[in-house]
């Protein structure tokens, strides 16, 4: 036992010493102009002081349409970010020489050292599914990915508040299970049900084989779990969410947390109060038959194009530019850019913005006339 503690102590001391040395001004000066990260990453890609990265330490393909990854983030990420249950992280991977970013909601208990991501496979030809399909097919232990921040307001309320909800219903559809599962696991770990709280969970999947975490959910103590299968009649629930499903799970919950397609969220809002929701489906928008025809100027790149009605992100990519982006649905804010002048319309809300020098999400913004963008 003494030897084991001594070895652990030595490893801890070595790690602390390494971090101090690598973070020193002298080492930074000696390794300029590229910086120490360009050298340490040759030894281990996660040994970086400035770049947030994570190593894949486990890969499980437990359903035909999803893969579950366990990631260990480096200190550059953990020192700056604490992921709350329900939030998302921006994951970056290099595909064919180009970096692509996509946001995923971890399913692990809040405060865990590792991140657990369950990623669903998309249809071919989907830009939004490019990163997901790549990870589904190529992820392996030892693989290193980039981490580009944390975001999202879909989180649990302060449960120490006397007015916090005691009877909580979770509803999810498909891959929307991950943020609500993180909330559920966190509540169970904190003893919510042992302290008099009630929890129910409804999950919708296409078939039993595609229901992620099915065995774990049914074995979870103190939680009422019901499954509905949209392409099979073998579930606990038949059909779509409505009064019967609500009554079977929990009548009059204090709060409902739902993540999934817009149709599911709308159904839950129709029949429930105090609904907290997040959708993972991008807005549907077709190219208008009469686009504005205005001039889009990407000022920083010296490029300008004629508006064809698509989002500013899509038109920038068609012009050969590579703006950073993530979810492509207005959630992660990775694509936020400064609109110097002009008018844009939001695809998610329909709101029209005319203010100059305004930050906008170019993945869900379309021009209305001439637009000057800092890109």
């Amino acid at each position: 036992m003494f030897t084991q503690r001594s070895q652990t102590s030595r490893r801890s001391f070595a790690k602390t010493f390494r971090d101090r040395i690598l973070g020193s001004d002298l080492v930074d000066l000696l390794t300029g102009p590229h910086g120490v990260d360009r050298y340490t990453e040759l030894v281990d890609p996660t040994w970086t002081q400035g770049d947030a990265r994570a190593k894949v330490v486990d890969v499980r393909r437990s359903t035909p349409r999803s893969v579950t990854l366990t990631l260990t983030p480096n200190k550059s990420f953990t020192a700056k970010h604490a992921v709350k249950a329900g939030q998302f992280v921006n994951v970056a991977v290099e595909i064919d020489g180009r970096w692509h970013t996509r946001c995923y909601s971890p399913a692990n208990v809040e405060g865990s050292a590792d991140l657990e991501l369950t990623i669903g496979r998309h249809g071919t030809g989907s830009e939004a599914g490019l990163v997901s399909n790549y990870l589904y097919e190529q992820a392996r232990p030892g693989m290193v990915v980039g981490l580009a921040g944390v975001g999202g307001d879909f989180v649990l309320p302060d449960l120490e508040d006397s007015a916090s909800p005691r009877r909580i219903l979770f509803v999810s559809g498909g891959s929307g299970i991950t943020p609500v599962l993180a909330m559920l696991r966190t509540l169970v770990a904190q003893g919510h049900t042992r302290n008099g709280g009630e929890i129910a969970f409804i999950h919708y999947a296409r078939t039993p084989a595609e229901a992620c975490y099915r065995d774990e959910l049914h074995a979870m103590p103190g939680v009422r779990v019901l499954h509905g299968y949209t392409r099979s009649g073998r579930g606990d629930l038949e059909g779509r969410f409505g009064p019967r499903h609500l009554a079977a799970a929990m009548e009059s919950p204090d709060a409902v947390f739902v993540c999934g397609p817009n149709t599911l969220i709308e159904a839950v809002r129709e029949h429930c109060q105090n609904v907290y929701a997040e959708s993972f489906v991008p807005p549907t928008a077709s190219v208008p038959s009469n686009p504005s025809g205005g001039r889009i100027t990407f000022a920083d790149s010296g490029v300008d194009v004629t508006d064809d009605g698509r989002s500013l992100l899509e038109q920038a990519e068609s012009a050969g530019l590579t703006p950073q982006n993530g979810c492509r649905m207005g959630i992660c804010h990775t694509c936020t850019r400064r609109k110097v002048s002009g008018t844009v319309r939001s695809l998610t809300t329909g709101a029209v913005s005319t203010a100059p020098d305004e930050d906008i999400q170019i993945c869900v913004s379309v021009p209305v006339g001439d637009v000057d963008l800092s890109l």
Side-chain angles (χ1 to χ4, degrees), residues 3-225:
T3 302
Q4 183 178 3
R5 285 201 300 266
S6 298
Q7 291 175 343
T8 302
S9 177
R10 285 197 295 270
R11 285 196 297 267
S12 177
F13 174 79
K15 183 178 183 300
T16 301
F17 181 75
R18 181 200 72 194
D19 291 341
R20 287 180 177 177
I21 291 295
L22 296 181
S24 69
D25 292 337
L26 176 60
V27 170
D28 188 56
L29 176 65
L30 294 175
T31 55
H34 304 294
V36 66
D37 285 354
R38 300 294 78 83
Y39 296 91
T40 57
E41 66 183 2
L42 297 176
V43 180
D44 187 321
T46 61
W47 285 10
T48 52
Q49 296 293 309
D51 295 340
R53 297 177 182 174
K55 181 178 291 185
V56 178
V57 295
D58 186 55
V59 178
R60 304 192 308 277
R61 292 181 171 85
S62 53
T63 79
R65 295 178 59 84
S66 67
V67 60
T68 299
L69 312 179
T70 302
L71 277 61
T72 299
N74 65 0
K75 187 177 180 180
S76 295
F77 179 83
T78 57
K80 299 176 183 177
H81 303 289
V83 186
K84 294 182 178 180
Q87 287 190 305
F88 59 80
V89 296
N90 291 313
V91 178
V93 297
E94 187 176 8
I95 304 174
D96 296 330
R98 177 181 169 188
W99 283 92
H100 299 264
T101 306
R102 184 78 165 85
C103 62
Y104 299 103
S105 296
N108 50 270
V109 174
E110 184 175 311
S112 299
D114 291 340
L115 301 175
E116 180 181 313
L117 308 180
T118 292
I119 298 168
R121 179 167 58 90
H122 291 248
T124 58
S126 168
E127 172 64 24
L130 180 65
V131 175
S132 297
N133 290 345
Y134 179 83
L135 291 172
Y136 174 84
E137 297 168 359
Q138 303 295 332
R140 65 191 184 282
M143 182 181 191
V144 174
V145 300
L147 298 176
V150 175
D153 300 320
F154 185 60
V155 296
L156 288 167
D158 182 5
L159 296 178
E160 295 183 358
D161 188 337
S162 59
S164 64
R166 303 301 298 164
R167 304 178 71 252
I168 299 175
L169 172 63
F170 294 106
V171 183
S172 60
S175 58
I177 192 173
T178 53
V180 292
L181 180 62
M183 295 178 181
L184 173 61
R185 283 172 162 175
T186 299
L187 287 177
V188 170
Q190 293 175 349
H192 183 75
T193 53
R194 294 196 303 271
N195 296 325
E198 297 179 49
I199 302 175
F201 192 111
I202 299 176
H203 178 62
Y204 297 94
R206 303 201 305 179
T207 65
E210 296 179 16
C212 303
Y213 302 101
R214 183 177 56 166
D215 293 340
E216 177 189 345
L217 285 170
H218 280 301
M220 195 166 285
V223 179
R224 180 167 178 74
V225 176

